[in-house]
Amino acid sequence: MSRVLVVGAGIAGDALAVLLDRAGWQVTVVEIAPGLRSGGQTVDLRGDSRDVLARLGLLDAALAATIEQRGLAWIDERGRRRAEMPVEAFGGAGFVSTDELLRADLARLLHDATGPRTRHRFADTVTGLTGTGHGVRAEFRRHAPEDYDLVVGADGAHSVVRRLAFGPEEAFRRPLGLAHAWFTLREARTTPPTPPLDGWFLMLNLPGSRVVEARPGHAGEQEVGFTFPATSLPPRGDTEARLALLERTFAGEGWRTAELLAAARVADDLALDTYDQVHAGTWSRGRVVLLGDSAWCASPLSGLGTALALRGAATLADALGREVPADVGGALAGYEAAMRPVVERAQAMYPGRVRSFAPRTRLGIAAMTGVMRLVQRGPVGAFLTRHVGDYGRAPEAAPAPPVTTGR
Ligand SMILES: Cc1cc2nc3c(=O)[nH]c(=O)nc-3n(C[C@H](O)[C@H](O)[C@H](O)COP(=O)(O)OP(=O)(O)OC[C@H]3O[C@@H](n4cnc5c(N)ncnc54)[C@H](O)[C@@H]3O)c2cc1C
């Protein structure tokens, strides 16, 4: 039985674990967090995500876990709505849809679907990877070294597998110039009570490319985000410095900003990261291969991170088949040939995506909200509804070419 080590129990890692376990592999997943990661906002079930979840037999469960959403509204500092994009916009292909569930719920579904041959090791990671000629010797922080036929780095944009096998992060990281903090606001903990969202994702754009968001979450919860210009951040362990940065950046702003900053202080899942893309010239080296954000993070602004992770997992599983292929290099090259055009289209995003998400000036904000109103109306709206495409797939994605397995 072929043995694979998957590093990272995220969307890509556990989706691959399910597929390879079903194909007959013995799968080990190592995850640095002490349990499945919580937190994160909603992710989309349209396009590729839907196809792969259907293949996994998880689509009904995923659809049953969707969060009630009514649309996205751009508001001003007094909470007045400047523009809205309801879920019905563009025939259901707008920014927000009814088919979204929390990232943590999707991760849980995938994790629970992993089969009996799959073992998960939490609170551990790899510290060394050495080619043995016919496999890879992996060293762990908390376990004795083990030999695998293949190692998959599904450990996100700051991948340790990529660092060990390909080189330092800076060679692959392309910052988009913004940083994003996110956390869950639990309404029961707020005094006075926080206003309900009624299914609306509310977004306040502020001058200086800053954004404050509150999105629907589980009942009694809201998913909050703060976006601001930054290409580097205080160290991950320094929560106080990170909170102070948020507080400095958004001090004195209107709407619910003060309340949301206070909620960040008591949140149990506060995360902060830069919006980066990952560009790597190749995704495999010997018997080490990258999958998901570690290989190609397109950034949350692409709206395609989950779709790419799921499609990538399915494509890699198909390339590998039931056991380690005789021509591993050929199989991994086939996976890359199938995924790279899709990834490149997703990373390109549409022109002005970053600037239109977080305009710099009041004039820019007014223009952006005006455009958001305009594009949904009259002939422009009708044209876009016909041509906006299938949300959740990289634009103009051609069907994946047949994968060369080398066997
Ligand atoms: C907690 C969290 C919240 C997120 N929220 C959103 C969101 O709201 N919107 C959005 O668009 N995208 C979000 N993302 C990113 C999104 O999940 C990915 O862009 C996409 O699903 C690709 O999945 P992935 O499996 O490649 O990476 P991820 O889903 O990021 O999973 C990577 C996994 O690897 C683990 N890991 C990291 N380093 C190591 C290591 N050294 N050793 C072992 N394991 C490691 C991580 O803990 C994580 O579980 C979030 C990611 C996380 C981890």
Side-chain angles (χ1 to χ4, degrees):
M1 193 181 278
S2 297
R3 287 162 52 95
V4 61
L5 174 67
V6 178
V7 183
I11 305 299
D14 269 339
L16 183 72
V18 175
L19 289 160
L20 289 185
D21 183 290
R22 287 182 189 173
W25 289 65
Q26 189 181 320
V27 185
T28 301
V29 183
V30 62
E31 163 63 46
I32 198 164
L36 276 193
R37 299 275 310 268
S38 63
Q41 296 162 347
T42 51
V43 295
D44 212 300
L45 290 180
R46 291 175 284 183
D48 285 330
S49 297
R50 197 180 190 92
D51 297 348
V52 177
L53 288 170
R55 172 174 166 180
L56 292 170
L58 296 175
L59 183 58
D60 288 345
L63 288 171
T66 52
I67 297 290
E68 192 200 339
Q69 303 226 77
R70 297 179 61 195
L72 164 61
W74 290 267
I75 57 170
D76 67 13
E77 281 103 324
R78 291 166 63 186
R80 295 174 301 196
R81 295 192 178 201
R82 291 303 184 204
E84 287 183 357
M85 189 179 287
V87 288
E88 296 82 16
F90 307 120
F95 287 148
V96 172
S97 88
T98 49
D99 292 355
E100 294 184 15
L101 78 171
L102 291 177
R103 181 210 171 271
D105 290 345
L106 178 60
R108 168 59 62 189
L109 277 178
L110 291 164
H111 180 76
D112 289 351
T114 54
R117 277 186 297 265
T118 298
R119 63 178 175 177
H120 278 82
R121 280 184 184 159
F122 287 99
D124 200 1
T125 187
V126 284
T127 54
L129 296 171
T130 314
T132 58
H134 52 278
V136 183
R137 167 151 291 209
E139 290 165 72
F140 297 93
R141 190 183 283 170
R142 296 171 59 155
H143 284 86
E146 286 175 348
D147 290 337
Y148 291 90
D149 296 299
L150 187 75
V151 172
V152 181
D155 48 345
H158 304 291
S159 169
V160 74
V161 172
R162 193 183 60 223
R163 178 169 57 74
L164 292 171
F166 295 75
E169 178 166 317
E170 285 313 306
F172 304 99
R173 173 177 177 246
R174 293 222 194 132
L176 296 178
L178 296 174
H180 183 66
W182 69 94
F183 65 90
T184 306
L185 180 154
R186 304 189 202 282
E187 291 169 4
R189 290 193 196 166
T190 60
T191 25
T194 199
L197 296 172
D198 199 20
W200 283 91
F201 169 1
L202 301 182
M203 182 182 286
L204 168 65
N205 283 87
L206 295 164
S209 302
R210 295 170 301 153
V211 185
V212 185
E213 304 166 1
R215 308 179 64 158
H218 285 151
E221 297 179 354
Q222 298 181 19
E223 298 299 331
V224 178
F226 289 97
T227 304
F228 55 98
T231 51
S232 64
L233 295 166
R236 272 196 213 145
D238 195 344
T239 308
E240 185 49 43
R242 293 181 151 219
L243 284 164
L245 173 64
L246 275 187
E247 287 164 351
R248 266 199 318 278
T249 309
F250 290 93
E253 295 298 350
W255 185 50
R256 295 170 50 199
T257 303
E259 173 216 328
L260 298 179
L261 286 171
R265 284 230 158 241
V266 296
D268 51 25
D269 58 358
L270 175 70
L272 174 62
D273 205 349
T274 45
Y275 274 146
D276 298 337
Q277 290 195 336
V278 168
H279 290 250
T282 177
W283 298 333
S284 63
R285 186 152 286 175
R287 289 180 175 230
V288 179
V289 59
L290 302 178
L291 171 68
D293 280 1
S294 68
W296 58 61
C297 180
S299 103
L301 290 182
S302 74
L304 290 166
T306 305
L308 291 175
L310 290 172
R311 182 166 173 169
T315 306
L316 180 56
D318 289 344
L320 293 170
R322 307 184 71 79
E323 59 187 1
V324 66
D327 177 8
V328 182
L332 298 181
Y335 150 70
E336 184 161 336
M339 280 306 292
R340 194 168 278 280
V342 183
V343 163
E344 284 175 356
R345 282 189 292 266
Q347 287 184 325
M349 298 194 276
Y350 60 79
R353 173 67 179 125
V354 177
R355 190 55 62 78
S356 64
F357 172 74
R360 264 195 320 225
T361 62
R362 285 196 187 279
L363 192 62
I365 294 168
M368 181 270 289
T369 48
V371 168
M372 291 304 166
R373 283 194 300 269
L374 190 72
V375 294
Q376 297 176 67
R377 289 190 191 147
V380 181
F383 175 83
L384 287 174
T385 302
R386 280 197 305 277
H387 293 95
V388 79
D390 188 359
Y391 199 101
R393 291 186 213 280
E396 296 163 35
V403 167
T404 318
T405 62
R407 283 174 296 144

